[in-house]
Amino acid sequence: MTATFIGNIEARLDEKGRMFIPAIYRKILNERGSRRIVMRRDTENACLVMYPEDVWNRKVEELSEALDEWNPDDQMLLMQFVADAEFLEMDGQGRVLLQKRNLQQIGAAGDILIVGMMNRFAVWNKQTFEQRRLDPRDFAKQIRERMQKKTDKTGGDRLPD
C-alpha cells in the first residue's frame, strides 16, 4: 500500500514565497518517485492543492473520461481545470516556489498550514483553515451520516455512536 499524506503541519513561507515540503511528505513523494508536484487552487475552498504527478495524471484522466470531448461546455471544464494548474519542482532543499498570485488568492503570507488529504495535500492560510474547521460535534455528526449512507449502500456494519 502506498504511504499517504495525513496530519497537518504548521509552516512558514519565506520572503520569496517558497515553502518547505515537510520531510515526511518529501519521503512519501520520493517513495512515489515524484520530485514534481502539480498545484492548483481548490475549486471550493481557499487553499492550494498539491498532487504528486501520478495522482494528478489519474485525476485528469478520470475527469476527461467523464466529459464529452465534443461538448463545448465539457471542453471548457477540462481546459479550465488544467489551465489553473502548474508544475512545481522541488529544489535540493525540498522547497517549492509558490507564485504570489496564488498566495494572494488564498490570503497566505507568512504562516501557513499544510494539511494531508491522503493522496494529496493542501496549503492553507492558517487562520482560514481554523475558521473553516467544523465544530467537533458537527464533525462527528457528519462523519456518522456519511458513513451510514455508505453502509446502507453496501449493507456493512454501522459505525458505533
Side-chain angles (χ1 to χ4, degrees):
M1 184 174 170
T2 305
T4 57
F5 303 103
I6 61 172
N8 66 80
I9 301 161
E10 293 183 28
R12 186 151 186 79
L13 297 167
D14 71 11
E15 66 282 347
K16 294 181 182 177
R18 291 178 298 198
M19 171 190 95
F20 276 102
I21 303 294
I24 189 69
Y25 288 8
R26 285 195 313 268
K27 182 178 179 192
I28 294 167
L29 289 166
N30 287 334
E31 288 171 3
R32 299 180 80 97
S34 186
R35 290 210 40 90
R36 250 185 3 174
I37 299 168
V38 178
M39 189 247 4
R40 83 173 309 284
R41 181 151 190 282
D42 187 75
T43 55
E44 296 286 331
N45 295 298
C47 67
L48 303 173
V49 181
M50 310 284 186
Y51 299 85
E53 191 171 8
D54 63 314
V55 172
W56 169 259
N57 290 339
R58 279 195 309 277
K59 184 74 64 187
V60 171
E61 189 174 311
E62 288 171 14
L63 177 60
S64 182
E65 289 172 359
L67 300 173
D68 177 356
E69 72 177 291
W70 302 108
N71 177 308
D73 292 334
D74 285 2
Q75 286 177 358
M76 185 52 69
L77 280 173
L78 182 62
M79 279 189 269
Q80 188 168 335
F81 188 78
V82 174
D84 289 344
E86 61 186 79
F87 286 111
L88 301 177
E89 298 276 348
M90 272 191 291
D91 67 14
Q93 296 179 25
R95 298 174 301 188
V96 291
L97 177 63
L98 304 177
Q99 299 297 321
K100 287 191 185 344
R101 66 181 162 82
N102 292 322
L103 295 171
Q104 288 171 344
Q105 287 177 337
I106 67 166
D111 294 332
I112 57 172
L113 195 63
I114 302 168
V115 181
M117 297 174 65
M118 303 301 288
N119 66 352
R120 60 199 185 278
F121 56 95
V123 176
W124 284 82
N125 169 306
K126 186 179 173 192
Q127 290 176 322
T128 302
F129 182 79
E130 293 302 327
Q131 291 168 352
R132 292 291 319 263
R133 284 183 74 119
L134 296 171
D135 170 89
R137 294 175 85 85
D138 290 337
F139 175 74
K141 179 183 177 208
Q142 287 190 36
I143 288 288
R144 273 195 309 276
E145 288 172 357
R146 301 305 192 286
M147 293 306 292
Q148 182 60 46
K149 286 179 189 176
K150 181 179 170 125
T151 56
D152 289 347
K153 289 179 185 175
T154 62
D157 294 331
R158 284 192 65 214
L159 279 178
D161 290 323

mmCIF file of all heavy atoms in Angstrom, residues 111-145:
data_model
loop_
_atom_site.group_PDB
_atom_site.id
_atom_site.type_symbol
_atom_site.label_atom_id
_atom_site.label_comp_id
_atom_site.label_asym_id
_atom_site.label_seq_id
_atom_site.Cartn_x
_atom_site.Cartn_y
_atom_site.Cartn_z
ATOM 1 N N ASP A 111 2.637 32.607 7.881
ATOM 2 C CA ASP A 111 2.227 31.332 8.466
ATOM 3 C C ASP A 111 1.205 30.618 7.590
ATOM 4 O O ASP A 111 0.197 31.201 7.184
ATOM 5 C CB ASP A 111 1.619 31.547 9.851
ATOM 6 C CG ASP A 111 2.643 32.049 10.850
ATOM 7 O OD1 ASP A 111 3.834 31.747 10.677
ATOM 8 O OD2 ASP A 111 2.242 32.747 11.796
ATOM 9 N N ILE A 112 1.484 29.355 7.325
ATOM 10 C CA ILE A 112 0.576 28.520 6.543
ATOM 11 C C ILE A 112 0.376 27.203 7.281
ATOM 12 O O ILE A 112 1.089 26.885 8.227
ATOM 13 C CB ILE A 112 1.111 28.252 5.117
ATOM 14 C CG1 ILE A 112 2.495 27.594 5.162
ATOM 15 C CG2 ILE A 112 1.104 29.525 4.289
ATOM 16 C CD1 ILE A 112 3.006 27.122 3.812
ATOM 17 N N LEU A 113 -0.589 26.454 6.815
ATOM 18 C CA LEU A 113 -0.847 25.131 7.349
ATOM 19 C C LEU A 113 -0.895 24.172 6.171
ATOM 20 O O LEU A 113 -1.581 24.438 5.178
ATOM 21 C CB LEU A 113 -2.181 25.128 8.103
ATOM 22 C CG LEU A 113 -2.448 23.953 9.020
ATOM 23 C CD1 LEU A 113 -1.426 23.905 10.156
ATOM 24 C CD2 LEU A 113 -3.861 24.043 9.597
ATOM 25 N N ILE A 114 -0.152 23.095 6.273
ATOM 26 C CA ILE A 114 -0.119 22.073 5.226
ATOM 27 C C ILE A 114 -0.937 20.902 5.757
ATOM 28 O O ILE A 114 -0.632 20.352 6.819
ATOM 29 C CB ILE A 114 1.331 21.667 4.909
ATOM 30 C CG1 ILE A 114 2.129 22.900 4.479
ATOM 31 C CG2 ILE A 114 1.352 20.591 3.830
ATOM 32 C CD1 ILE A 114 3.619 22.696 4.416
ATOM 33 N N VAL A 115 -2.003 20.552 5.033
ATOM 34 C CA VAL A 115 -2.975 19.577 5.515
ATOM 35 C C VAL A 115 -3.010 18.369 4.587
ATOM 36 O O VAL A 115 -3.261 18.505 3.385
ATOM 37 C CB VAL A 115 -4.384 20.220 5.600
ATOM 38 C CG1 VAL A 115 -5.404 19.220 6.120
ATOM 39 C CG2 VAL A 115 -4.351 21.474 6.466
ATOM 40 N N GLY A 116 -2.761 17.187 5.154
ATOM 41 C CA GLY A 116 -2.798 15.958 4.375
ATOM 42 C C GLY A 116 -4.209 15.607 3.938
ATOM 43 O O GLY A 116 -5.171 15.825 4.675
ATOM 44 N N MET A 117 -4.309 15.064 2.728
ATOM 45 C CA MET A 117 -5.596 14.650 2.161
ATOM 46 C C MET A 117 -5.456 13.271 1.502
ATOM 47 O O MET A 117 -5.954 13.046 0.407
ATOM 48 C CB MET A 117 -6.077 15.684 1.135
ATOM 49 C CG MET A 117 -6.336 17.060 1.705
ATOM 50 S SD MET A 117 -6.740 18.266 0.417
ATOM 51 C CE MET A 117 -8.290 17.611 -0.208
ATOM 52 N N MET A 118 -4.732 12.390 2.141
ATOM 53 C CA MET A 118 -4.494 11.021 1.702
ATOM 54 C C MET A 118 -3.564 10.959 0.480
ATOM 55 O O MET A 118 -2.405 10.726 0.630
ATOM 56 C CB MET A 118 -5.794 10.258 1.449
ATOM 57 C CG MET A 118 -6.703 10.217 2.677
ATOM 58 S SD MET A 118 -5.932 9.461 4.114
ATOM 59 C CE MET A 118 -5.900 7.763 3.632
ATOM 60 N N ASN A 119 -4.081 11.177 -0.741
ATOM 61 C CA ASN A 119 -3.228 11.068 -1.929
ATOM 62 C C ASN A 119 -2.726 12.419 -2.422
ATOM 63 O O ASN A 119 -2.096 12.513 -3.472
ATOM 64 C CB ASN A 119 -3.943 10.312 -3.054
ATOM 65 C CG ASN A 119 -5.140 11.061 -3.602
ATOM 66 O OD1 ASN A 119 -5.561 12.085 -3.069
ATOM 67 N ND2 ASN A 119 -5.710 10.532 -4.664
ATOM 68 N N ARG A 120 -3.017 13.475 -1.666
ATOM 69 C CA ARG A 120 -2.588 14.832 -1.998
ATOM 70 C C ARG A 120 -2.559 15.631 -0.702
ATOM 71 O O ARG A 120 -2.946 15.125 0.340
ATOM 72 C CB ARG A 120 -3.524 15.463 -3.024
ATOM 73 C CG ARG A 120 -4.960 15.563 -2.552
ATOM 74 C CD ARG A 120 -5.925 15.751 -3.727
ATOM 75 N NE ARG A 120 -7.292 15.954 -3.305
ATOM 76 C CZ ARG A 120 -8.143 15.000 -2.967
ATOM 77 N NH1 ARG A 120 -7.772 13.741 -2.965
ATOM 78 N NH2 ARG A 120 -9.383 15.285 -2.620
ATOM 79 N N PHE A 121 -2.107 16.875 -0.767
ATOM 80 C CA PHE A 121 -2.133 17.721 0.419
ATOM 81 C C PHE A 121 -2.470 19.142 0.005
ATOM 82 O O PHE A 121 -2.379 19.499 -1.167
ATOM 83 C CB PHE A 121 -0.827 17.639 1.223
ATOM 84 C CG PHE A 121 0.430 17.956 0.463
ATOM 85 C CD1 PHE A 121 0.970 19.231 0.487
ATOM 86 C CD2 PHE A 121 1.082 16.967 -0.257
ATOM 87 C CE1 PHE A 121 2.137 19.517 -0.194
ATOM 88 C CE2 PHE A 121 2.253 17.244 -0.941
ATOM 89 C CZ PHE A 121 2.789 18.522 -0.912
ATOM 90 N N ALA A 122 -2.921 19.927 0.988
ATOM 91 C CA ALA A 122 -3.372 21.286 0.706
ATOM 92 C C ALA A 122 -2.579 22.283 1.530
ATOM 93 O O ALA A 122 -2.117 21.980 2.627
ATOM 94 C CB ALA A 122 -4.862 21.419 1.012
ATOM 95 N N VAL A 123 -2.439 23.480 0.982
ATOM 96 C CA VAL A 123 -1.777 24.592 1.661
ATOM 97 C C VAL A 123 -2.845 25.643 1.934
ATOM 98 O O VAL A 123 -3.532 26.096 1.017
ATOM 99 C CB VAL A 123 -0.648 25.187 0.797
ATOM 100 C CG1 VAL A 123 -0.035 26.405 1.469
ATOM 101 C CG2 VAL A 123 0.394 24.127 0.490
ATOM 102 N N TRP A 124 -2.968 25.995 3.198
ATOM 103 C CA TRP A 124 -3.980 26.935 3.660
ATOM 104 C C TRP A 124 -3.333 28.118 4.369
ATOM 105 O O TRP A 124 -2.291 27.959 5.002
ATOM 106 C CB TRP A 124 -4.884 26.277 4.700
ATOM 107 C CG TRP A 124 -5.902 25.328 4.189
ATOM 108 C CD1 TRP A 124 -5.700 24.022 3.868
ATOM 109 C CD2 TRP A 124 -7.287 25.579 3.993
ATOM 110 N NE1 TRP A 124 -6.875 23.449 3.481
ATOM 111 C CE2 TRP A 124 -7.868 24.385 3.547
ATOM 112 C CE3 TRP A 124 -8.084 26.712 4.156
ATOM 113 C CZ2 TRP A 124 -9.224 24.287 3.258
ATOM 114 C CZ3 TRP A 124 -9.432 26.610 3.860
ATOM 115 C CH2 TRP A 124 -9.996 25.403 3.410
ATOM 116 N N ASN A 125 -4.003 29.254 4.343
ATOM 117 C CA ASN A 125 -3.745 30.300 5.307
ATOM 118 C C ASN A 125 -4.202 29.680 6.629
ATOM 119 O O ASN A 125 -5.325 29.166 6.728
ATOM 120 C CB ASN A 125 -4.581 31.532 4.955
ATOM 121 C CG ASN A 125 -4.593 32.572 6.039
ATOM 122 O OD1 ASN A 125 -4.923 32.292 7.191
ATOM 123 N ND2 ASN A 125 -4.267 33.782 5.677
ATOM 124 N N LYS A 126 -3.336 29.695 7.622
ATOM 125 C CA LYS A 126 -3.623 29.005 8.878
ATOM 126 C C LYS A 126 -4.930 29.474 9.506
ATOM 127 O O LYS A 126 -5.749 28.661 9.947
ATOM 128 C CB LYS A 126 -2.461 29.201 9.851
ATOM 129 C CG LYS A 126 -2.600 28.415 11.108
ATOM 130 C CD LYS A 126 -1.401 28.632 12.011
ATOM 131 C CE LYS A 126 -1.666 27.963 13.348
ATOM 132 N NZ LYS A 126 -0.730 28.343 14.356
ATOM 133 N N GLN A 127 -5.153 30.777 9.553
ATOM 134 C CA GLN A 127 -6.375 31.307 10.165
ATOM 135 C C GLN A 127 -7.623 30.886 9.393
ATOM 136 O O GLN A 127 -8.647 30.564 9.988
ATOM 137 C CB GLN A 127 -6.307 32.827 10.260
ATOM 138 C CG GLN A 127 -5.296 33.321 11.271
ATOM 139 C CD GLN A 127 -5.182 34.838 11.261
ATOM 140 O OE1 GLN A 127 -5.244 35.466 10.218
ATOM 141 N NE2 GLN A 127 -5.006 35.395 12.447
ATOM 142 N N THR A 128 -7.550 30.889 8.078
ATOM 143 C CA THR A 128 -8.699 30.499 7.262
ATOM 144 C C THR A 128 -9.081 29.048 7.537
ATOM 145 O O THR A 128 -10.256 28.723 7.694
ATOM 146 C CB THR A 128 -8.398 30.691 5.760
ATOM 147 O OG1 THR A 128 -8.047 32.051 5.530
ATOM 148 C CG2 THR A 128 -9.591 30.324 4.901
ATOM 149 N N PHE A 129 -8.069 28.173 7.610
ATOM 150 C CA PHE A 129 -8.359 26.764 7.888
ATOM 151 C C PHE A 129 -9.030 26.615 9.253
ATOM 152 O O PHE A 129 -10.018 25.895 9.383
ATOM 153 C CB PHE A 129 -7.081 25.917 7.830
ATOM 154 C CG PHE A 129 -7.341 24.461 8.054
ATOM 155 C CD1 PHE A 129 -7.834 23.663 7.033
ATOM 156 C CD2 PHE A 129 -7.094 23.873 9.287
ATOM 157 C CE1 PHE A 129 -8.086 22.318 7.235
ATOM 158 C CE2 PHE A 129 -7.339 22.523 9.502
ATOM 159 C CZ PHE A 129 -7.835 21.737 8.468
ATOM 160 N N GLU A 130 -8.504 27.295 10.251
ATOM 161 C CA GLU A 130 -9.076 27.190 11.596
ATOM 162 C C GLU A 130 -10.522 27.693 11.616
ATOM 163 O O GLU A 130 -11.363 27.131 12.312
ATOM 164 C CB GLU A 130 -8.219 27.945 12.615
ATOM 165 C CG GLU A 130 -6.853 27.326 12.842
ATOM 166 C CD GLU A 130 -6.896 25.875 13.318
ATOM 167 O OE1 GLU A 130 -7.835 25.488 14.048
ATOM 168 O OE2 GLU A 130 -5.986 25.111 12.950
ATOM 169 N N GLN A 131 -10.809 28.736 10.854
ATOM 170 C CA GLN A 131 -12.174 29.256 10.784
ATOM 171 C C GLN A 131 -13.118 28.291 10.075
ATOM 172 O O GLN A 131 -14.301 28.225 10.398
ATOM 173 C CB GLN A 131 -12.198 30.608 10.067
ATOM 174 C CG GLN A 131 -11.549 31.719 10.850
ATOM 175 C CD GLN A 131 -11.326 32.975 10.022
ATOM 176 O OE1 GLN A 131 -11.511 32.992 8.817
ATOM 177 N NE2 GLN A 131 -10.908 34.036 10.689
ATOM 178 N N ARG A 132 -12.606 27.554 9.095
ATOM 179 C CA ARG A 132 -13.429 26.628 8.304
ATOM 180 C C ARG A 132 -13.659 25.278 8.988
ATOM 181 O O ARG A 132 -14.573 24.560 8.632
ATOM 182 C CB ARG A 132 -12.777 26.364 6.948
ATOM 183 C CG ARG A 132 -12.736 27.516 5.991
ATOM 184 C CD ARG A 132 -14.109 27.904 5.449
ATOM 185 N NE ARG A 132 -14.964 26.792 5.123
ATOM 186 C CZ ARG A 132 -15.132 26.269 3.908
ATOM 187 N NH1 ARG A 132 -14.518 26.784 2.888
ATOM 188 N NH2 ARG A 132 -15.947 25.250 3.710
ATOM 189 N N ARG A 133 -12.796 24.943 9.931
ATOM 190 C CA ARG A 133 -12.926 23.652 10.618
ATOM 191 C C ARG A 133 -14.293 23.525 11.259
ATOM 192 O O ARG A 133 -14.831 24.482 11.796
ATOM 193 C CB ARG A 133 -11.869 23.503 11.704
ATOM 194 C CG ARG A 133 -10.502 23.198 11.176
ATOM 195 C CD ARG A 133 -9.546 22.994 12.320
ATOM 196 N NE ARG A 133 -9.789 21.700 12.940
ATOM 197 C CZ ARG A 133 -8.891 20.726 12.996
ATOM 198 N NH1 ARG A 133 -7.703 20.906 12.494
ATOM 199 N NH2 ARG A 133 -9.178 19.595 13.571
ATOM 200 N N LEU A 134 -14.817 22.321 11.224
ATOM 201 C CA LEU A 134 -16.107 22.051 11.847
ATOM 202 C C LEU A 134 -15.953 21.946 13.355
ATOM 203 O O LEU A 134 -14.922 21.480 13.853
ATOM 204 C CB LEU A 134 -16.672 20.734 11.316
ATOM 205 C CG LEU A 134 -16.997 20.681 9.831
ATOM 206 C CD1 LEU A 134 -17.342 19.255 9.424
ATOM 207 C CD2 LEU A 134 -18.125 21.623 9.485
ATOM 208 N N ASP A 135 -16.981 22.352 14.047
ATOM 209 C CA ASP A 135 -17.070 22.114 15.480
ATOM 210 C C ASP A 135 -16.997 20.591 15.680
ATOM 211 O O ASP A 135 -17.527 19.828 14.865
ATOM 212 C CB ASP A 135 -18.426 22.666 15.957
ATOM 213 C CG ASP A 135 -18.737 22.274 17.367
ATOM 214 O OD1 ASP A 135 -18.341 23.020 18.273
ATOM 215 O OD2 ASP A 135 -19.384 21.218 17.563
ATOM 216 N N PRO A 136 -16.328 20.106 16.746
ATOM 217 C CA PRO A 136 -16.182 18.660 16.942
ATOM 218 C C PRO A 136 -17.499 17.886 16.899
ATOM 219 O O PRO A 136 -17.563 16.782 16.348
ATOM 220 C CB PRO A 136 -15.512 18.544 18.313
ATOM 221 C CG PRO A 136 -14.736 19.815 18.454
ATOM 222 C CD PRO A 136 -15.588 20.858 17.771
ATOM 223 N N ARG A 137 -18.567 18.449 17.436
ATOM 224 C CA ARG A 137 -19.865 17.746 17.419
ATOM 225 C C ARG A 137 -20.409 17.658 15.996
ATOM 226 O O ARG A 137 -20.936 16.622 15.582
ATOM 227 C CB ARG A 137 -20.846 18.426 18.348
ATOM 228 C CG ARG A 137 -20.454 18.339 19.806
ATOM 229 C CD ARG A 137 -21.411 19.139 20.679
ATOM 230 N NE ARG A 137 -22.596 18.406 21.049
ATOM 231 C CZ ARG A 137 -22.673 17.577 22.081
ATOM 232 N NH1 ARG A 137 -21.616 17.382 22.832
ATOM 233 N NH2 ARG A 137 -23.794 16.965 22.361
ATOM 234 N N ASP A 138 -20.303 18.759 15.232
ATOM 235 C CA ASP A 138 -20.756 18.746 13.839
ATOM 236 C C ASP A 138 -19.917 17.776 13.013
ATOM 237 O O ASP A 138 -20.440 17.060 12.148
ATOM 238 C CB ASP A 138 -20.687 20.144 13.227
ATOM 239 C CG ASP A 138 -21.725 21.093 13.802
ATOM 240 O OD1 ASP A 138 -22.751 20.617 14.329
ATOM 241 O OD2 ASP A 138 -21.492 22.313 13.731
ATOM 242 N N PHE A 139 -18.618 17.769 13.280
ATOM 243 C CA PHE A 139 -17.721 16.854 12.577
ATOM 244 C C PHE A 139 -18.149 15.404 12.821
ATOM 245 O O PHE A 139 -18.315 14.619 11.889
ATOM 246 C CB PHE A 139 -16.275 17.078 13.039
ATOM 247 C CG PHE A 139 -15.301 16.107 12.461
ATOM 248 C CD1 PHE A 139 -14.896 16.200 11.135
ATOM 249 C CD2 PHE A 139 -14.783 15.084 13.239
ATOM 250 C CE1 PHE A 139 -14.004 15.295 10.592
ATOM 251 C CE2 PHE A 139 -13.878 14.176 12.706
ATOM 252 C CZ PHE A 139 -13.491 14.285 11.386
ATOM 253 N N ALA A 140 -18.353 15.052 14.082
ATOM 254 C CA ALA A 140 -18.755 13.682 14.423
ATOM 255 C C ALA A 140 -20.083 13.321 13.772
ATOM 256 O O ALA A 140 -20.246 12.226 13.222
ATOM 257 C CB ALA A 140 -18.837 13.525 15.940
ATOM 258 N N LYS A 141 -21.030 14.250 13.799
ATOM 259 C CA LYS A 141 -22.344 14.006 13.202
ATOM 260 C C LYS A 141 -22.224 13.769 11.697
ATOM 261 O O LYS A 141 -22.814 12.830 11.150
ATOM 262 C CB LYS A 141 -23.261 15.202 13.481
ATOM 263 C CG LYS A 141 -24.637 15.056 12.887
ATOM 264 C CD LYS A 141 -25.479 16.289 13.138
ATOM 265 C CE LYS A 141 -26.823 16.097 12.461
ATOM 266 N NZ LYS A 141 -27.435 17.332 12.072
ATOM 267 N N GLN A 142 -21.456 14.616 11.020
ATOM 268 C CA GLN A 142 -21.331 14.470 9.568
ATOM 269 C C GLN A 142 -20.594 13.187 9.185
ATOM 270 O O GLN A 142 -20.958 12.533 8.207
ATOM 271 C CB GLN A 142 -20.644 15.694 8.969
ATOM 272 C CG GLN A 142 -21.547 16.907 8.965
ATOM 273 C CD GLN A 142 -20.976 18.059 8.176
ATOM 274 O OE1 GLN A 142 -20.335 17.865 7.146
ATOM 275 N NE2 GLN A 142 -21.212 19.274 8.644
ATOM 276 N N ILE A 143 -19.584 12.819 9.962
ATOM 277 C CA ILE A 143 -18.878 11.555 9.683
ATOM 278 C C ILE A 143 -19.858 10.388 9.828
ATOM 279 O O ILE A 143 -19.910 9.494 8.972
ATOM 280 C CB ILE A 143 -17.655 11.378 10.620
ATOM 281 C CG1 ILE A 143 -16.539 12.336 10.221
ATOM 282 C CG2 ILE A 143 -17.166 9.932 10.647
ATOM 283 C CD1 ILE A 143 -15.829 11.993 8.935
ATOM 284 N N ARG A 144 -20.628 10.382 10.915
ATOM 285 C CA ARG A 144 -21.611 9.303 11.110
ATOM 286 C C ARG A 144 -22.597 9.244 9.951
ATOM 287 O O ARG A 144 -22.895 8.165 9.431
ATOM 288 C CB ARG A 144 -22.364 9.501 12.430
ATOM 289 C CG ARG A 144 -21.686 8.906 13.620
ATOM 290 C CD ARG A 144 -22.618 8.787 14.825
ATOM 291 N NE ARG A 144 -23.323 10.018 15.172
ATOM 292 C CZ ARG A 144 -22.803 10.990 15.924
ATOM 293 N NH1 ARG A 144 -21.580 10.880 16.404
ATOM 294 N NH2 ARG A 144 -23.513 12.069 16.193
ATOM 295 N N GLU A 145 -23.106 10.407 9.539
ATOM 296 C CA GLU A 145 -24.080 10.444 8.445
ATOM 297 C C GLU A 145 -23.493 9.900 7.153
ATOM 298 O O GLU A 145 -24.121 9.100 6.457
ATOM 299 C CB GLU A 145 -24.576 11.873 8.224
ATOM 300 C CG GLU A 145 -25.493 12.374 9.304
ATOM 301 C CD GLU A 145 -25.812 13.866 9.172
ATOM 302 O OE1 GLU A 145 -25.260 14.537 8.263
ATOM 303 O OE2 GLU A 145 -26.617 14.349 9.990
#
